[in-house]
Amino acid sequence: MSDTINAIVVDDEGHARQTLITLLKAHPEINLVAECENGMSAVKTVNDLQPHLMFLDIQMPKLNGLEVLELLGDTAPLTVFVTAHNDYAIQAFEKNAVDYLLKPVSKARLAQSVERIQQRLTREQPTHYRQQQQTAAQQLNQPSGPIQRILVRDKGDVHVIPVADISAIEAADDYVVIHAGGQSHIKQERLSRLEAQLDAQQFCRIHRSTLINLDYLQGIETEAKETRFANLKLADGSSKQYAISRSGYSKLIELL
């Protein structure tokens, strides 16, 4: 790569964003190509401009910094976290992050960070750090309780799906189809991994390939001794039927 490092700054706080941009002007090797005021804008900007480097706030509404990295996956640029909270970021990223900066960012600390970025870009392949960042983000983003929303990336767009709106999730090889609010969203994810993150009292695996939200369950229909179907009533008043396996039926009865 050239000596110029194309970078973006992502922070929902305008003052913090402008302060960092001003400090970066002292480093001509950093070429600021965009600034973003939220996580969704960051995902779109990275896809459009493919910068080498991203200064990324962690605490942002709707889509936090860790979720931004999760959505970007392998397309994420090298990332420096900029955060006012050192309770978990410092410990988690001290080995894997390109760098982290605590707010308010000082000139001296930013200079150290830029030097560190240049050294690593010189001696290491960026993909190596992207993999480290993604692994660290996944580890950090493990929720302490059931998740409340699922993020789905569709090209440059990001859909935030509240869990309460999801009626069912079906497996399709390495993907899942999420049914919510009359729409179906495809996400690259294992059904078992999603199941582990959802509330086990609300979602039931009624079949190897089907997970349903019990809040939408209207009834169980039996056609033969071992042939049963779960009837779901959707938000628009329509109905949807899913097959129940023998083990799925046992789980379902246990929860009801």
Side-chain angles (χ1 to χ4, degrees):
M1 64 181 292
S2 66
D3 294 336
T4 300
I5 303 170
N6 291 331
I8 66 172
V9 172
V10 185
D11 198 315
D12 63 309
E13 298 178 353
H15 175 71
R17 197 168 62 244
Q18 292 306 317
T19 298
L20 181 57
I21 290 173
T22 299
L23 292 174
L24 285 171
K25 290 179 180 177
H27 301 275
E29 63 273 41
I30 303 294
N31 177 38
L32 184 69
V33 294
E35 55 180 292
C36 306
E37 61 182 12
N38 56 60
M40 291 188 178
S41 175
V43 172
K44 186 176 187 307
T45 300
V46 168
N47 286 329
D48 290 344
L49 303 181
Q50 300 182 355
H52 306 117
L53 177 66
M54 174 167 59
F55 291 92
L56 180 63
D57 186 19
I58 292 180
Q59 298 289 337
M60 295 186 291
K62 294 186 179 180
L63 203 65
N64 64 42
L66 302 174
E67 291 169 332
V68 168
L69 276 189
E70 178 186 344
L71 283 170
L72 288 172
D74 291 339
T75 64
L78 298 180
T79 300
V80 174
F81 283 103
V82 184
T83 176
H85 307 275
N86 65 358
D87 48 350
Y88 59 90
I90 290 177
Q91 296 174 2
F93 284 92
E94 62 184 357
K95 293 182 179 179
N96 293 324
V98 176
D99 205 356
Y100 64 86
L101 298 171
L102 282 176
K103 297 177 183 176
V105 179
S106 69
K107 293 180 181 178
R109 185 64 185 84
L110 180 61
Q112 291 177 356
S113 184
V114 172
E115 183 177 357
R116 183 177 301 178
I117 292 164
Q118 290 177 306
Q119 289 175 350
R120 292 192 175 183
L121 283 173
T122 300
R123 71 172 187 261
E124 299 286 350
Q125 293 296 320
T127 51
H128 170 66
Y129 287 96
R130 282 202 295 269
Q131 291 168 353
Q132 287 188 331
Q133 288 169 177
Q134 190 175 2
T135 300
Q138 289 172 346
Q139 292 172 345
L140 260 181
N141 220 15
Q142 292 298 320
S144 56
I147 56 174
Q148 300 301 314
R149 60 192 181 192
I150 294 177
L151 307 176
V152 177
R153 184 175 62 176
D154 181 10
K155 298 179 181 176
D157 297 329
V158 176
H159 301 281
V160 181
I161 306 171
V163 164
D165 293 347
I166 298 172
S167 59
I169 304 174
E170 295 181 275
D173 296 327
D174 290 335
Y175 293 82
V176 293
V177 181
I178 301 170
H179 303 285
Q183 294 184 315
S184 296
H185 304 274
I186 298 174
K187 179 180 177 69
Q188 187 173 14
E189 184 63 279
R190 291 280 187 179
L191 186 62
S192 57
R193 187 171 183 273
L194 267 186
E195 180 184 12
Q197 298 177 67
L198 292 166
D199 186 350
Q201 298 301 311
Q202 184 180 6
F203 285 84
C204 179
R205 187 86 169 259
I206 63 168
H207 190 277
R208 179 170 53 86
S209 61
T210 309
L211 195 63
I212 66 167
N213 186 340
L214 297 181
D215 290 343
Y216 292 84
L217 180 63
Q218 189 177 34
I220 301 172
E221 185 175 318
T222 302
E223 292 191 356
K225 184 178 179 181
E226 300 295 343
T227 304
R228 301 182 178 89
F229 297 92
N231 292 324
L232 271 58
K233 185 174 183 179
L234 308 183
D236 61 0
S238 63
S239 298
K240 180 76 174 179
Q241 196 173 66
Y242 296 94
I244 307 174
S245 66
R246 180 187 299 179
S247 61
Y249 181 69
S250 298
K251 294 177 185 175
L252 189 56
I253 293 302
E254 187 176 340
L255 285 172
L256 295 178

